[in-house]
Amino acid sequence: MGAEAWFRSLFEPAGIAVNGDRPFDLRVHNPRLYRQVRRLGTLGLGDAYVEGWWDCERVDELFCRLLSSDIQNRAGVFLPQMLGVARARLSNMQSIRRAFHVGKHHYDLGNELFEAMLGPTMAYSCGYWKDAATLDEAEEAKYDLACRKVRLKPGMTVLEIGCGWGGFARYAAERYGVRVVGLTVSAEQARYAEDLCRGLPVEIRLEDYRSFKGGVDAIVSIGMFEHVGVKNYATYFEVARRALKDDGLFLLHTIGSLDSKVSIDPWIGAHIFPNGVLPSLQQIGRATEERFVVEDVHNFGAFYERTLKAWHGNFHAALDAGRLPAKYDDGFRRMWDYYLLSCAGAFRARHLQLYQIALSPQGVRGGYCSVR
C-alpha cells in the first residue's frame, strides 16, 4: 500500500476525509506529509502541522475523532515511540541532573506568554468548572477545592511541590492563613512567584523536590507529577511521606493515562514537555503502597477540554491585540495551537484523565469526607 493510501486508511474509520470540506477534515498542502507520518507517526504529524503541510479548522475535533476510533492501536508503533521507551527503560530521564531541563525548555518560555494565556490566577492546570462560568472562577474553585481537601487551617505549614507562578501559594496564604513553601525547577516561575506572593508567609525555592528537608502539616502538588517519571515515583512518595506529619493530608493533582506507560507522546516530548510521562492509577497505587492510605480519588478530566479551549482563546486574543513579543511568531503559534487543541481533543475523547487523589500517612480516624 502506498503512503497516501495508508494515510487515508488511518483517518477513514474516524470519519475524517483527507481534503474534505468539514471543519474536522484534514487539508493537505504538501504531499510529503504521507511518508513523514508513515515513518515518524505522531512526531511526523505534529511537525508537519507546524511547518504548514496540512491544516484543519477544528484540530481539537479531529483528535477527538481519531482517538475515539482507536487510532493508536490501528496505526502500530513507530520508531520515535520505540526510541522513547528504550531511553526511558535504560536511563532515568527525570534524574536530579535532568530535573531542571523542563523548566528551561517550557516554563521559562516567557512570563508574558503565560500571563496572557492563563490570566490573573496563573493556574496552569485543569480548572474546576462545576459551578464556574469563567476560567478565573474555575481556577479559583480548583485552588479552593485543594485547600478544603487537605483541610487547611490558619497557622499550618503547607509544602507545594511544583508551585508554578505562585497562584495557589498566594490563594492559600490569603484565604486560609497558612504558610507555604513552594518548590519549582523554573527560574522564571520562581521570580514571578516571589513577586506575586511578596508580603505573604510564602517561601519560594528553586529546588527539586528530592532536596526538600523538613516537616509540614499538609502537601499539595498541582500539575507537577507529570514530570516525575516512573523510575522516581517511589522516591517522590517517600519524600512526601517523610515531610508530612502523621495526621497531615497530601493532595496529588495530575493528568492521568488510561494505561501504564514509561514515556510520553513523541511530539509532546520533543517540543512541549521533555522527559514527561503521564501516570496511570495503577502506577500511582503501586508507588503509594506502604507509604500512604488512598482516601479519595476524584476524576474531573472532562473539565480539561474547557480549560484548554479557554487558554487557547486567551492566547489568540493576546496575539491579535499585539500584546505578545515578536518571538512568538507564526511557527510558535502553530506549535502552540497544535499543543493546546490536540490535548483538548484527547480530553474530549476521555483518552486522558485528571485525577485529584487525597492521601494520608496512616488513614484518617473516622474516615475521610470527600470534598466535591
Side-chain angles (χ1 to χ4, degrees):
M1 184 186 296
E4 181 177 350
W6 172 85
F7 185 90
R8 289 176 180 271
S9 73
L10 289 182
F11 286 80
E12 286 172 359
I16 298 168
V18 176
N19 295 322
D21 56 6
R22 294 166 299 180
F24 51 81
D25 286 335
L26 182 145
R27 294 180 292 280
V28 177
H29 308 307
N30 189 330
R32 286 186 291 171
L33 168 71
Y34 307 126
R35 288 191 176 184
Q36 176 159 300
V37 174
R38 194 170 195 175
R39 286 191 304 109
L40 302 176
T42 60
L43 179 62
L45 183 68
D47 283 351
Y49 182 86
V50 175
E51 291 296 323
W53 291 10
W54 65 277
D55 273 303
C56 176
E57 185 180 335
R58 290 290 306 278
V59 172
D60 55 328
E61 181 60 18
L62 179 143
F63 270 88
C64 177
R65 288 170 177 262
L66 285 176
L67 292 169
S68 297
S69 73
D70 198 34
I71 190 172
Q72 60 273 26
N73 290 319
R74 292 190 291 105
V77 180
F78 300 89
L79 181 61
Q81 289 172 283
M82 291 188 286
L83 291 176
V85 170
R87 282 193 296 267
R89 294 196 186 281
L90 292 172
S91 63
N92 185 350
M93 300 304 295
Q94 302 82 14
S95 64
I96 292 178
R97 182 173 60 84
R98 292 187 172 108
F100 289 81
H101 180 49
V102 69
K104 294 175 182 176
H105 181 92
H106 186 82
Y107 297 107
D108 289 350
L109 278 170
N111 288 335
E112 65 271 38
L113 167 67
F114 291 105
E115 277 186 308
M117 186 175 86
L118 305 178
T121 64
M122 291 301 284
Y124 196 20
S125 56
C126 184
Y128 192 55
W129 292 86
K130 179 173 175 285
D131 299 309
T134 67
L135 175 65
D136 295 344
E137 290 176 359
E139 295 295 10
E140 284 214 350
K142 184 261 303 294
Y143 285 161
D144 197 64
L145 190 70
C147 292
R148 289 186 288 131
K149 284 185 175 181
V150 294
R151 300 179 179 178
L152 293 190
K153 295 178 183 177
M156 282 184 168
T157 297
V158 182
L159 171 64
E160 186 183 7
I161 306 177
C163 65
W165 290 270
F168 172 80
R170 181 177 67 172
Y171 185 93
E174 287 181 338
R175 303 292 183 92
Y176 284 83
V178 297
R179 174 179 177 265
V180 183
V181 178
L183 311 180
T184 178
V185 294
S186 163
E188 289 295 311
Q189 284 186 339
R191 282 193 286 270
Y192 192 99
E194 286 174 352
D195 288 339
L196 189 70
C197 299
R198 199 171 302 282
L200 294 169
V202 174
E203 179 187 358
I204 303 298
R205 301 181 186 177
L206 187 61
E207 180 180 318
D208 181 74
Y209 68 94
R210 284 162 285 204
S211 302
F212 182 78
K213 302 290 189 298
V216 296
D217 300 296
I219 300 175
V220 172
S221 186
I222 299 175
M224 177 272 174
F225 194 68
E226 299 90 332
H227 303 302
V228 170
V230 178
K231 290 188 175 181
N232 306 299
Y233 288 166
T235 299
Y236 174 90
F237 286 111
E238 187 60 38
V239 168
R241 178 62 190 90
R242 288 199 305 267
L244 187 60
K245 294 180 180 178
D246 288 346
D247 60 350
L249 290 167
F250 173 19
L251 184 73
L252 178 68
H253 173 119
T254 181
I255 297 173
S257 172
L258 289 173
D259 56 341
S260 297
K261 295 181 171 68
V262 297
S263 62
I264 202 167
D265 170 79
W267 189 85
I268 292 289
H271 300 292
I272 307 299
F273 297 117
N275 303 328
V277 59
L278 303 180
S280 68
L281 277 180
Q282 182 188 61
Q283 289 169 322
I284 295 171
R286 285 178 176 171
T288 59
E289 284 183 11
E290 299 183 2
R291 296 181 177 93
F292 287 100
V293 174
V294 177
E295 300 285 1
D296 184 52
V297 179
H298 183 186
N299 183 352
F300 55 91
F303 288 151
Y304 223 139
E305 177 199 352
R306 193 170 176 183
T307 303
L308 285 155
K309 295 297 287 291
W311 292 343
H312 183 256
N314 286 348
F315 171 59
H316 274 268
L319 284 176
D320 294 344
R323 290 189 283 113
L324 291 178
K327 66 179 180 178
Y328 303 115
D329 57 12
D330 187 62
F332 183 90
R333 178 191 65 77
R334 291 185 68 88
M335 178 185 73
W336 215 245
D337 283 348
Y338 190 80
Y339 154 49
L340 295 174
L341 294 175
S342 63
C343 289
F347 279 102
R348 184 186 306 158
R350 300 309 309 278
H351 181 73
L352 296 177
Q353 314 305 312
L354 189 286
Y355 298 124
Q356 277 197 349
I357 303 173
L359 304 162
S360 68
Q362 298 181 348
V364 175
R365 296 293 176 88
Y368 179 86
C369 183
S370 300
V371 179
R372 297 292 185 270

